[in-house]
């Protein structure tokens, strides 16, 4: 494990700068897929407006950088401000359920995009650049951005793992399956949904800020675009919704397809939609189930499951036992 971590850290020294930039993009996709999976796969909160936090994180970075905050410090602060935004929005949006919640998140994203487009200091509708990073040589700038993105990716994945590994993981899935029944058993759904919503807001805000640091330019119609929801759906459904490893695999698949087939324009997006629908209908557990079901153990175990032990006793009876996976 330590060797793998050292290899990840050494990427800027081993590969060309364009490869480093692409791997930075992959890390941001892993963040986005994992955050959406936390909301929808574990919490049952299907959002089509996570681009609200993506765009907010990017433009918060620009706003802070324009006020002489160091750009990389601005990225970290923008993730924190995304948490503040999530806390402010949670009392309104978490009152909604199902399709109402999905539409509500989309409306918030559109409203934020409109507000940004009307602000000339943030570039209006034409976009804005993060000029502060031009002080670095391109190779070192991409290396620093990669290391910061890698740090955010690992920290957020660890946060998700710890959250799901504890008893809260079981409670969260109980709320997802039947909120009323979970409440009847004493599960406090409100604080759990609030925690998931804020965590996803922080992650998506960080991903937006890191996307800006990686590309140095953003526009409201792109960073707040609803196509991000299509990307998130694709990654999580194809990888395996409701699993820890699935969204990571889905992000890798999407990254490769995006690199290979992006030149097909609108047909590329249509193809992504058809593939996602196919997985939802015929393999709802995603690609990870192909490998996970064949392993004699859980690679990254979260939650609890019932196991049927081998038959024991004179009559060949068996008993069930709850075991942690």
């Amino acid at each position: 494990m330590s060797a793998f971590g050292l290899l990840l850290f050494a990427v800027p020294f081993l590969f060309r700068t364009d490869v480093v930039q692409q791997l930075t993009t992959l890390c941001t996709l892993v963040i986005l897929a994992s955050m959406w999976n936390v909301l929808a796969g574990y919490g049952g909160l299907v959002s089509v407006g996570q681009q609200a936090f993506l765009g907010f994180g990017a433009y918060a970075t620009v706003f802070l950088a324009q006020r002489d905050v160091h750009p990389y410090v601005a990225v970290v602060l923008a993730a924190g401000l995304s948490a503040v935004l999530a806390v402010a929005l949670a009392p309104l949006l978490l009152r909604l359920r199902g399709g109402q919640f999905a539409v509500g998140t989309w409306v918030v994203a559109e409203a934020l995009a409109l507000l940004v487009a009307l602000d000339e200091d943030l570039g209006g509708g034409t976009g804005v650049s993060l000029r502060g990073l031009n002080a670095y040589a391109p190779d070192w700038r991409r290396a620093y951005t990669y290391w910061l993105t890698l740090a955010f990716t690992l920290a957020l994945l660890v946060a998700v793992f710890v959250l799901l590994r504890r008893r809260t993981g079981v409670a969260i899935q109980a709320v997802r399956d039947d909120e009323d029944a979970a409440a009847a058993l004493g599960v406090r759904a409100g604080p759990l949904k609030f925690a998931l919503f804020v965590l996803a807001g922080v992650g998506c805000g960080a991903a937006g800020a890191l996307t800006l640091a990686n590309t140095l330019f953003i526009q409201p119609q792109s960073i707040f675009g609803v196509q991000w929801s299509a990307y998130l759906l694709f990654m999580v459904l194809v990888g395996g919704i409701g699993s820890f490893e699935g969204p990571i695999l889905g992000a890798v698949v999407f990254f490769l397809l995006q690199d290979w087939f992006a030149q097909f324009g609108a047909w590329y997006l249509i193809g992504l939609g058809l593939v996602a629908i196919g997985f939802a209908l015929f393999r709802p557990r995603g690609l990870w189930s192909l490998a996970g079901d064949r392993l004699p153990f859980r690679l990254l175990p979260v939650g609890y499951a019932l196991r049927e032990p081998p038959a024991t006793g004179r009559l060949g009876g068996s008993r069930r036992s709850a075991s942690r996976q």
Side-chain angles (χ1 to χ4, degrees), residues 168-280:
T168 51
V170 180
I172 287 168
Q173 294 176 74
V175 172
R176 174 199 63 192
D177 295 337
D178 192 325
E179 184 172 339
D180 294 331
L185 294 174
V187 176
R188 298 178 61 194
L192 291 174
K193 292 164 68 175
F194 178 83
L196 293 180
F197 188 74
V198 173
L199 175 60
V202 171
C204 291
L210 294 165
T211 297
L212 171 62
N214 195 31
T215 61
L216 299 182
F217 180 80
I218 50 169
Q219 291 177 303
Q221 60 266 34
S222 61
I223 199 68
F224 283 105
V226 73
Q227 76 274 4
W228 286 103
S229 291
Y231 298 160
L232 295 175
L233 279 165
F234 178 88
M235 289 187 288
V236 175
L237 288 178
V238 169
I241 189 169
S243 64
F244 185 88
E245 304 89 348
I248 300 174
L249 177 60
V252 174
V253 171
F254 175 74
F255 173 77
L256 295 175
L257 291 178
Q258 189 180 46
D259 187 53
W260 291 340
F261 302 118
Q263 68 269 21
F264 292 107
W267 288 105
Y268 157 70
L269 294 175
I270 293 172
L272 289 181
L274 291 175
V275 172
I277 292 171
F279 270 89

Side-chain angles (χ1 to χ4, degrees), residues 105-157:
T105 56
W106 174 75
V107 169
V108 168
E110 292 298 309
L112 286 176
L114 181 60
L115 290 174
V116 168
L118 293 175
D119 192 331
E120 294 299 328
D121 291 337
L122 296 177
T126 60
V128 65
S129 298
L130 187 63
R131 297 189 180 94
L133 291 182
N134 289 329
Y136 294 95
D139 290 356
W140 283 109
R141 173 180 60 79
R142 289 173 179 170
Y144 293 146
T145 303
Y146 167 79
W147 285 326
L148 183 58
T149 306
L150 180 63
F152 264 107
T153 304
L154 295 177
L156 289 167
L157 288 177

Side-chain angles (χ1 to χ4, degrees), residues 36-59:
W36 196 85
N37 183 58
V38 161
L39 272 181
Y42 285 102
L45 299 170
V46 179
S47 169
V48 294
Q50 288 307 108
Q51 62 270 18
F53 296 99
L54 194 75
F56 179 84
Y59 275 98

